[in-house]
Structure formats: C-alpha cells, structure tokens
Amino acid sequence: MGRHHATPPARYELHPQLAADTHPLAALELCELRLMDDANYPWLVLVPRVPEARELVDLEAAQRRLLTDEIDLASRLLRDVFRPFKLNVAALGNLVPQLHVHVIARYEDDPAWPAPVWGRVAARPYSPEALVERVRVLREGLRCGGA
C-alpha cells in the first residue's frame, strides 16, 4: 500500500500588505484589531485569525457571529472615542484577498467626504507621536468598556 501524506493544516498569517499598512492595536477573540496608518480618518481593520479565509462565507457560523460582535465592538469604540458623523463598515479585499473588515469613522469635513475613502486622498501616515497617542486613546477606550 502506498503511503498517504496528509497536508499539514494551514496556518494563519497576516497578509504582508495588511502588515505594512496597519499597526497592531489588540488581539480579540477571533480577530486582530489593527489601526490603518492613515491619520486622515480614525480607521480600524479587523482581520479574523482564520487560515485561508477570503470571504465571509469561508467562516463557520459561530465565527461569523463572533466577527459581527467584534465589528460591533470596533464600531462602538470609534463612535464613543471620536463621535463621528457616520461609520463606514466594509469587507472589500480586492487587492488584499485575506478576509478583513474596515471600520472607518467619517466626518462631513474629512478629506474624502462624502465619497468612499479608497483612492480619493493620499494616505497620511501617522507621525510617531501621533501614532502613540492614537493607539493610547483607542486602547484606553477598549479598557474602559466604552466599546
């Protein structure tokens, strides 16, 4: 009888483009919660730690429910900390196939308003000082349970 070699299970890895464009904020039960490196908007990205997940339908039912809860947490965090006019929530991933969800605080006077943020205005990376402060404020918001 021939030997059957099982393929090792896939491991979760953050897509290199997401790693380059975002900063770690918190590890949630399902997702990495990350801050987009664009000071034009308070912008969070949730990345489910599920190997090879590209679409919402790739998640099991319990994972989809947990992702919804974590989107809610990120949305409440941005709402409570930044008081935006509107929250944009999107899972697009045309350039980065790994499943990830954007939660973006929008204001009527932000650089892209009222258009979507993608491809409208060049990203404005955080200065080191502004990044430290933004991460501090968001982590404090998470700890205080405002989210």
Side-chain angles (χ1 to χ4, degrees), residues 75-95:
S75 298
R76 289 174 187 276
L77 175 62
L78 289 182
R79 185 189 65 188
D80 294 349
V81 172
F82 297 105
R83 303 287 177 201
F85 179 76
K86 186 79 176 78
L87 289 170
N88 292 174
V89 178
L92 300 170
N94 295 331
L95 297 176

Side-chain angles (χ1 to χ4, degrees), residues 9-81:
R11 232 172 30 92
Y12 164 78
E13 289 183 29
L14 183 64
H15 188 282
Q17 192 65 57
L18 287 174
D21 292 347
T22 63
H23 301 282
L25 193 58
L28 305 178
E29 187 175 343
L30 177 69
C31 295
E32 286 189 41
L33 180 61
R34 302 182 67 87
L35 175 67
M36 182 64 79
D37 192 15
D38 186 349
N40 287 313
Y41 324 91
W43 182 341
L44 300 177
V45 179
L46 293 147
V47 186
R49 289 184 303 276
V50 177
E52 300 179 353
R54 294 169 69 97
E55 312 295 344
L56 289 169
V57 296
D58 292 335
L59 301 180
E60 297 171 5
Q63 291 171 325
R64 283 193 308 275
R65 287 190 292 274
L66 190 51
L67 176 58
T68 299
D69 289 345
E70 292 181 359
I71 291 168
D72 181 81
L73 182 143
S75 298
R76 289 174 187 276
L77 175 62
L78 289 182
R79 185 189 65 188
D80 294 349
V81 172

Side-chain angles (χ1 to χ4, degrees), residues 105-142:
R106 299 297 307 275
Y107 300 89
E108 292 172 289
D109 62 352
D110 76 35
W113 185 267
V117 297
W118 290 275
R120 299 287 174 164
V121 177
R124 188 166 55 90
Y126 286 98
S127 69
E129 299 79 13
L131 177 62
V132 167
E133 178 60 14
R134 177 64 45 101
V135 168
R136 184 195 66 75
V137 165
L138 288 164
R139 286 183 176 156
E140 180 67 24
L142 282 170

